[in-house]
Amino acid sequence: MEALAAQSTAPVRYATDKKCRVVAGRWISPFTGKVIHDASAIDIDHVVPLKWAWDHGAASWTQEKRERFANDQVNLWSVELSLNRQKGARGPDEWLPPAGQCQYVSRFVRISKVYGLQPSEREVHRFKGQLSNYCR
């Protein structure tokens, strides 16, 4: 709920005065560029999925660092529910959004570096190729 409110480009509307559930706002999906107004059509995506992070070094982190990573606003994106489900726990070497590939791969790599995650040599090679192809 906090990520939805923070990422909306217009004031959000809540289901009740208790402000527990966002129902409407204005989000621009980094995966497609589409404007979304209905909060039920959105998922909060971890750019670097939690499972991917776990498999690439997060398993050895402290609980505090894992929580900081899971809640880091830089790692959270409001995207179409269907695309987030399609992506699952895969990294950019296995899944790319239909649009915004440069932004997505760049952010993924940056977050991985900031948190000291360890992609394989094959993944690093693939990410470099993607950055060179999509970020011209």
Side-chain angles (χ1 to χ4, degrees):
M1 195 253 334
E2 292 172 15
L4 280 176
Q7 294 178 15
S8 179
T9 61
V12 297
R13 194 173 80 236
Y14 295 92
T16 69
D17 290 341
K18 292 182 182 180
K19 296 185 177 183
C20 295
R21 186 170 58 94
V22 174
V23 294
R26 184 179 186 276
W27 300 274
I28 302 170
S29 171
F31 285 177
T32 62
K34 291 180 182 175
V35 175
I36 305 165
H37 295 280
D38 179 0
S40 70
I42 290 179
D43 253 358
I44 299 301
D45 173 58
H46 285 93
V47 175
V48 177
L50 301 178
K51 169 81 168 86
W52 192 97
W54 184 267
D55 293 342
H56 292 81
S60 65
W61 293 351
T62 64
Q63 181 66 28
E64 179 185 345
K65 185 172 181 179
R66 285 195 297 267
E67 287 177 14
R68 187 171 67 247
F69 176 79
N71 295 305
D72 187 338
Q73 292 294 314
V74 174
N75 194 30
L76 300 175
W77 267 354
S78 299
V79 301
E80 290 89 344
L81 181 134
S82 61
L83 290 175
N84 189 40
R85 304 287 164 85
Q86 185 184 91
K87 174 187 170 197
R90 296 180 288 177
D93 59 316
E94 298 180 316
W95 183 89
L96 288 171
Q101 292 94 352
C102 174
Q103 181 184 14
Y104 170 67
V105 177
S106 297
R107 185 172 284 224
F108 188 100
V109 169
R110 186 172 61 248
I111 293 165
S112 294
K113 285 181 181 178
V114 165
Y115 282 93
L117 294 168
Q118 300 295 316
S120 69
E121 286 184 38
R122 183 189 66 78
E123 289 167 325
V124 169
H125 180 72
R126 177 85 169 139
F127 299 160
K128 286 180 180 178
Q130 289 172 318
L131 290 170
S132 130
N133 286 337
Y134 297 122
C135 301
R136 297 179 204 203

